[in-house]
Amino acid sequence: MKNTVKIMLATLTLALAMSLTAGIPADAKAYKTKKVTVTKGKSKTIKTSRKIKKVKISSKNKNFTVKKTAKKKFKVSGTDVGKTQTVKVTYTNKNTQKFKITTKKKKTTSTGYKKKVIDEVKSLIADPDKGLRKVLADWKADMTKKTKVDTSKYTVIAKLWREDANYNPLSYLSEDDVIKTYTPSQKKALIIETYCIARMTYSNKGFAEKETYHYHRNSDKYFKLLYKGEFEGLCESGADMATDIANAVGLTAKTVISVQLDHGWCVIKATDKNGTTYWHGVDTYTVADSYNLKNTAPVNKNMTPAQVEKYDYTVSLSKFKLFRQKKAVTPT
């Protein structure tokens, strides 16, 4: 009888313990952190071995996005090179796992048409005087042919158009004037500007589908279009192309962005004849206005219209333009 009572008490104790703990979940555990490598500018889908309940950014640097895309998949986009970025995944079994993201730079090589463009520009800036003469001569010859200029009556000439910091027109400079008065660094900026102007057209072709150079930096496809004079784009795409070319040939260049102006343009570091360093604006025919800015301008940030005005360089705007000049009549 005593044994029976003991067994009944033990059973009741066990049942009571089970009833008390039935509503308490087991402690969630964290699986081993996994490392993920993403290429700069690319998105990446990560597949897990367990069903996902939710995903969220768990690092201090939140300058990227993460999204669950399937029961066992999530995607990260917009990650940064050199930043520590982490995603925390909570699974349907209540356990968690962190994914540490390392972003690598996309390998770029100067092959194909990109190499042709870079080599061509390098040869032009090697001797700025000769290079500027050549790039202008090529542009004038091309426009003479395209616009069917009557060469028996007219010749095509280039003049440097300029405006001061208050946007008042300044006198045009002849090609010879520029060669005499501009510094080598200014001439190099003008060479890249003229090289691009001669090969680019303003167009929003394919922009909605993100089929422009801005979304495909260093793509040989777009260097081929540039090389053949068929490059089309909006301001930022042309500016990015000029920026990438300038940096590739050893100059210092940036693409300036102004969201409020809905505008972007390339600037190249230059020094004028007085020894003043500034950012020389580069027009590309995909860009309406490329402002020259003081060296202290915050070109790495989104510039407001007020900042653009504040940091205007002495000569705010400048670029070569082509004109038809009537030939002198030789007396008979």
Side-chain angles (χ1 to χ4, degrees):
M1 181 70 176
K2 288 181 178 179
N3 289 337
T4 304
V5 171
K6 286 181 179 179
I7 293 170
M8 290 177 65
L9 287 171
T11 304
L12 286 169
T13 301
L14 179 62
L16 179 61
M18 291 178 66
S19 66
L20 289 172
T21 59
I24 302 175
D27 290 339
K29 67 177 182 178
Y31 298 117
K32 185 179 179 181
T33 299
K34 284 193 173 183
K35 294 181 179 180
V36 176
T37 301
V38 180
T39 301
K40 180 183 178 182
K42 300 285 186 179
S43 298
K44 185 163 186 174
T45 297
I46 296 100
K47 187 176 181 181
T48 64
S49 57
R50 302 169 183 84
K51 290 183 179 179
I52 299 170
K53 182 180 180 180
K54 64 178 181 178
V55 292
K56 69 174 184 177
I57 294 170
S58 62
S59 56
K60 290 182 180 179
N61 185 340
K62 303 184 187 313
N63 188 32
F64 71 109
T65 59
V66 59
K67 182 180 180 182
K68 177 184 173 183
T69 55
K71 290 181 179 179
K72 295 184 178 182
K73 291 181 181 180
F74 67 93
K75 183 171 74 171
V76 292
S77 307
T79 58
D80 292 325
V81 174
K83 304 291 184 181
T84 301
Q85 295 177 305
T86 308
V87 171
K88 183 179 180 181
V89 175
T90 301
Y91 296 109
T92 54
N93 64 6
K94 299 180 181 179
N95 294 335
T96 62
Q97 188 170 28
K98 287 187 177 181
F99 290 78
K100 189 174 181 180
I101 303 163
T102 301
T103 307
K104 64 179 182 179
K105 291 183 179 180
K106 184 180 179 181
K107 290 184 178 179
T108 57
T109 54
S110 293
T111 58
Y113 282 94
K114 180 182 177 182
K115 186 175 187 305
K116 289 182 179 181
V117 169
I118 299 306
D119 287 348
E120 201 165 61
V121 175
K122 276 184 178 179
S123 68
L124 289 168
I125 67 170
D127 184 329
D129 287 353
K130 288 183 179 179
L132 186 56
R133 295 278 194 196
K134 184 179 188 312
V135 77
L136 286 170
D138 290 345
W139 185 29
K140 288 185 286 185
D142 185 54
M143 290 304 294
T144 298
K145 183 178 179 181
K146 283 182 179 178
T147 57
K148 299 179 180 179
V149 174
D150 185 347
T151 55
S152 66
K153 296 180 180 178
Y154 299 96
T155 184
V156 176
I157 62 170
K159 289 184 179 181
L160 189 69
W161 165 83
R162 302 172 301 152
E163 282 187 0
D164 66 17
N166 295 315
Y167 308 109
N168 297 313
L170 298 171
S171 59
Y172 280 90
L173 292 181
S174 69
E175 190 175 323
D176 289 337
D177 289 335
V178 174
I179 294 294
K180 291 176 183 176
T181 62
Y182 270 48
T183 65
S185 61
Q186 288 177 309
K187 292 170 189 173
K188 289 176 183 180
L190 290 171
I191 287 169
I192 291 176
E193 176 176 69
T194 307
Y195 184 91
C196 290
I197 283 178
R199 291 164 174 80
M200 291 186 179
T201 304
Y202 181 87
S203 170
N204 63 356
K205 180 181 179 182
F207 188 78
E209 294 79 27
K210 295 188 176 181
E211 285 301 320
T212 69
Y213 183 78
H214 177 65
Y215 296 98
H216 303 276
R217 300 284 284 267
N218 293 303
S219 167
D220 208 55
K221 167 186 173 181
Y222 292 94
F223 277 93
K224 179 180 179 180
L225 293 172
L226 183 74
Y227 189 79
K228 293 180 174 293
E230 299 169 357
F231 185 99
E232 296 182 20
L234 299 177
C235 52
E236 200 169 16
S237 288
D240 286 340
M241 173 64 85
T243 297
D244 290 344
I245 291 172
N247 286 323
V249 299
L251 305 181
T252 300
K254 301 283 185 183
T255 297
V256 180
I257 301 299
S258 176
V259 174
Q260 286 177 268
L261 288 173
D262 190 25
H263 192 41
W265 68 98
C266 168
V267 289
I268 297 176
K269 190 66 71 72
T271 303
D272 65 20
K273 64 181 181 180
N274 298 317
T276 301
T277 299
Y278 71 102
W279 291 102
H280 188 100
V282 173
D283 202 322
T284 58
Y285 262 8
T286 67
V287 180
D289 293 310
S290 299
Y291 301 98
N292 299 325
L293 301 170
K294 294 175 183 176
N295 188 44
T296 52
V299 295
N300 289 320
K301 299 178 181 179
N302 169 36
M303 291 188 69
T304 65
Q307 285 177 316
V308 173
E309 185 173 347
K310 176 182 176 181
Y311 290 101
D312 256 341
Y313 172 67
T314 310
V315 178
S316 179
L317 295 165
S318 61
K319 66 179 175 182
F320 272 108
K321 292 184 177 183
L322 299 185
F323 300 87
R324 286 192 314 171
Q325 181 174 276
K326 198 167 186 178
K327 288 184 175 180
V329 178
T330 306
T332 55

